[in-house]
Amino acid sequence: MKKQAGSSVFIILLCVVYIFASVKAQTCRPSGTIRGKNPPPGQCNTENDSDCCKVGKLYTTYKCSPLVSSHTKATLTLNSFQAGGDGGGPSECDNQYHSDDDPVVALSTGWFNDKKRCLKYINIYGNGRSVRAKVVDECDSTMGCDSDHDYQPPCPNNIVDASKAVWKALGVPESDWGGMDIYWSDTD
């Protein structure tokens, strides 16, 4: 009987270790850093309160994002996908610019998932409302502080970077645009 109880405890302990290891393996950890440098004069677009890289500052990079669920927590940020906007060049999914009046988003690198979410729709939940938006770009979490990224720092790994249309659809007052906790999910 003592042998059987000892075996049961061992099996339970083994299961707990396996579960802990599985959860830990799914955690997204930083992949490195980038040292900031000053952008050439007039080369960092600060529209929508975008940040410019600062000389010598270390910026964390990620190749992953938190796990996606039916209710994935994220930070909603504001981005212009129009030509000349703070989003930089054309969108990665279709090489096009998009009107600020269209509900479009860029997702952090891990969620962008090597373009697997390109031109697909996600549901965004915030401020007691929801909106359906098209994924058109990546909010790069692996690179930044260069001309390709408009001399802006790398995105954190939990960003849904959204057009003005998304913020309006969520009913957020313009004075509060910039950063807000939201949830999102893939559409069916």
Side-chain angles (χ1 to χ4, degrees):
M1 191 63 134
K2 284 185 181 180
K3 268 188 178 177
Q4 194 173 15
S7 297
S8 297
V9 169
F10 178 74
I11 289 171
I12 290 171
L13 184 60
L14 199 58
C15 289
V16 168
V17 168
Y18 174 76
I19 290 168
F20 177 74
S22 295
V23 169
K24 190 170 181 138
Q26 295 171 358
T27 302
C28 178
R29 299 194 188 286
S31 58
T33 58
I34 293 174
R35 186 170 300 278
K37 52 189 168 196
N38 265 344
Q43 293 297 303
C44 182
N45 187 333
T46 56
E47 178 185 10
N48 298 322
D49 295 323
S50 294
D51 292 329
C52 296
C53 292
K54 300 198 179 8
V55 174
K57 182 174 179 180
L58 288 179
Y59 296 95
T60 303
T61 60
Y62 294 88
K63 293 180 181 174
C64 56
S65 291
L67 289 175
V68 174
S69 69
S70 61
H71 210 64
T72 306
K73 186 175 182 178
T75 299
L76 189 70
T77 55
L78 179 61
N79 188 45
S80 176
F81 296 85
Q82 296 186 151
D86 65 327
S91 297
E92 192 169 336
C93 292
D94 57 8
N95 203 34
Q96 302 289 316
Y97 291 101
H98 297 270
S99 168
D100 288 337
D101 296 326
D102 294 334
V104 293
V105 298
L107 297 177
S108 292
T109 297
W111 291 336
F112 190 65
N113 197 14
D114 292 319
K115 295 188 176 183
K116 289 182 178 76
R117 285 197 169 84
C118 266
L119 306 179
K120 294 185 178 176
Y121 287 87
I122 64 170
N123 292 316
I124 300 169
Y125 309 92
N127 199 37
R129 296 185 184 184
S130 68
V131 61
R132 186 173 177 252
K134 186 192 291 187
V135 177
V136 296
D137 209 350
E138 173 182 16
C139 193
D140 199 338
S141 305
T142 66
M143 304 282 291
C145 299
D146 57 17
S147 60
D148 286 347
H149 298 89
D150 204 27
Y151 295 97
Q152 296 174 11
C155 276
N157 67 344
N158 65 337
I159 297 297
V160 175
D161 207 14
S163 65
K164 291 178 181 180
V166 170
W167 286 87
K168 288 177 183 175
L170 292 175
V172 179
E174 272 191 59
S175 59
D176 294 336
W177 290 4
M180 179 174 95
D181 288 340
I182 53 105
Y183 291 93
W184 71 274
S185 64
D186 290 309
T187 60
D188 295 329

